Amino acid sequence: MKKILYIILSLFTASSALANQPKDWQLGFQDPASDGMRDIVNFHNNLLLPIIIAISVFVLFLMVYACIRFRASRNPNPSKTTHNVTVEILWTLIPCLILIVMAVPSFKILYKQDTIPKADVTVKAIGYQWYWGYEYPDENIIFESYMIETKDLKENQPRLLAVDNEVVVPVNKVIKVLITANDVLHAWALPSFGVKRDAVPGRINETWFKAEKVGTYYGQCSELCGIKHAFMPITVKVVSEEDYAEWLMGAKIKFAKEPLSENENIKLAGN
């Protein structure tokens, strides 16, 4: 009974849930943190849900009406009607019109997601069994990101979502993500940004997002990839431009893809 009460309450509180991670007993989407996710939420809540609810109520009404109106006690001699041209035209035409109404805004959203603007930052995500590796191709940065075990979690670090090395990006900048895999199929997904792309070995897929809020956002691999599929989370930390520049200076030394010369180290430290 207590769980049912939580679910009912979540219907009214889901919209106020934190944007960066799921909430216990939450129904519906996480709050959007990008324009792309906002389009998805509006499409779902303002178009799909009303259509689904209307169809469900209409079908339920027809079932109840048919059970009562055409029950055996009221129809000792059942009708032998097998065809009704009007009904057949309607139940073919109306669903087609509904699909067209849904398709037009859906295609607009898909086109917007697949049209990648000029990137301010490019990040490459590589799926492994079972962790993520990241590269910043333009910055000579490469590192691996592992889930933090439950026993090692610090305060405010969510279980099964926190990682040792986070992806750091600046707020209000176009982030282009190149996604691939080293072994089997994975999927890089961040619900708050409306981003989800398969990571396919030998192939690079692309996606993008533009985070509107500073914060830490969590996602998970969304393609069944093996025994530890549930233990390769995604953590993206969105920071101000100043904080990003500061992180970048340290990351170029800590996560340098190629060994830096002594002069390069001095130059980076001096910046």
Side-chain angles (χ1 to χ4, degrees):
M1 184 64 187
K2 188 176 180 180
K3 290 183 178 180
I4 295 174
L5 181 60
Y6 278 137
I7 294 174
I8 294 173
L9 289 174
S10 69
L11 290 171
F12 303 98
T13 60
S15 61
S16 61
L18 293 175
N20 58 350
Q21 66 187 76
K23 187 177 181 179
D24 289 343
W25 299 103
Q26 175 183 338
L27 295 180
F29 295 107
Q30 296 180 32
D31 289 345
S34 71
D35 189 53
M37 186 57 184
R38 189 177 299 105
D39 290 340
I40 294 172
V41 172
N42 289 336
F43 175 64
H44 177 269
N45 292 348
N46 299 331
L47 183 63
L48 291 187
L49 272 184
I51 290 176
I52 292 170
I53 292 171
I55 292 174
S56 300
V57 171
F58 178 66
V59 171
L60 178 62
F61 166 76
L62 289 181
M63 291 175 63
V64 173
Y65 176 78
C67 290
I68 296 174
R69 174 66 179 80
F70 300 105
R71 64 186 186 275
S73 60
R74 291 193 58 181
N75 295 272
N77 298 312
S79 170
K80 293 183 171 57
T81 302
T82 57
H83 296 284
N84 186 302
V85 175
T86 302
V87 171
E88 290 178 1
I89 291 175
L90 289 176
W91 75 30
T92 302
L93 186 60
I94 293 175
C96 288
L97 294 175
I98 292 174
L99 289 175
I100 292 172
V101 169
M102 293 166 53
V104 173
S106 175
F107 289 157
K108 288 182 178 180
I109 293 174
L110 289 173
Y111 179 79
K112 184 176 180 181
Q113 288 184 326
D114 288 338
T115 304
I116 302 178
K118 183 179 179 181
D120 297 303
V121 177
T122 300
V123 178
K124 184 178 181 182
I126 307 102
Y128 298 93
Q129 289 182 310
W130 287 270
Y131 62 94
W132 289 97
Y134 295 99
E135 295 182 24
Y136 288 65
D138 300 328
E139 306 294 348
N140 192 48
I141 291 173
I142 182 170
F143 59 88
E144 295 170 343
S145 181
Y146 291 89
M147 185 192 76
I148 298 177
E149 298 293 335
T150 302
K151 60 183 177 63
D152 299 322
L153 287 174
K154 298 178 182 178
E155 188 178 359
N156 296 324
Q157 286 186 324
R159 178 177 173 270
L160 300 181
L161 293 175
V163 298
D164 54 355
N165 293 315
E166 304 163 334
V167 177
V168 179
V169 298
V171 69
N172 291 320
K173 296 294 183 181
V174 175
I175 312 300
K176 181 179 180 180
V177 187
L178 307 175
I179 302 168
T180 187
N182 185 61
D183 34 50
V184 298
L185 291 176
H186 300 279
W188 201 82
L190 272 172
S192 292
F193 299 148
V195 169
K196 181 180 178 182
R197 283 291 187 277
D198 282 345
V200 183
R203 176 177 176 177
I204 294 181
N205 289 328
E206 296 181 335
T207 188
W208 71 282
F209 63 88
K210 185 178 180 180
E212 300 174 343
K213 306 173 186 176
V214 171
T216 304
Y217 299 88
Y218 300 98
Q220 292 176 298
C221 175
S222 297
E223 189 77 51
L224 190 58
C225 58
I227 191 171
K228 291 188 177 181
H229 161 68
F231 305 100
M232 50 183 300
I234 300 159
T235 303
V236 174
K237 187 174 183 180
V238 181
V239 298
S240 65
E241 290 187 56
E242 294 77 13
D243 290 341
Y244 177 71
E246 182 179 345
W247 174 84
L248 207 56
M249 280 196 302
K252 285 181 178 180
I253 299 174
K254 182 179 179 181
F255 301 123
K257 185 175 182 180
E258 302 293 341
L260 297 175
S261 66
E262 184 177 351
N263 290 336
E264 288 175 317
N265 273 307
I266 294 173
K267 183 178 178 181
L268 286 173
N271 290 335

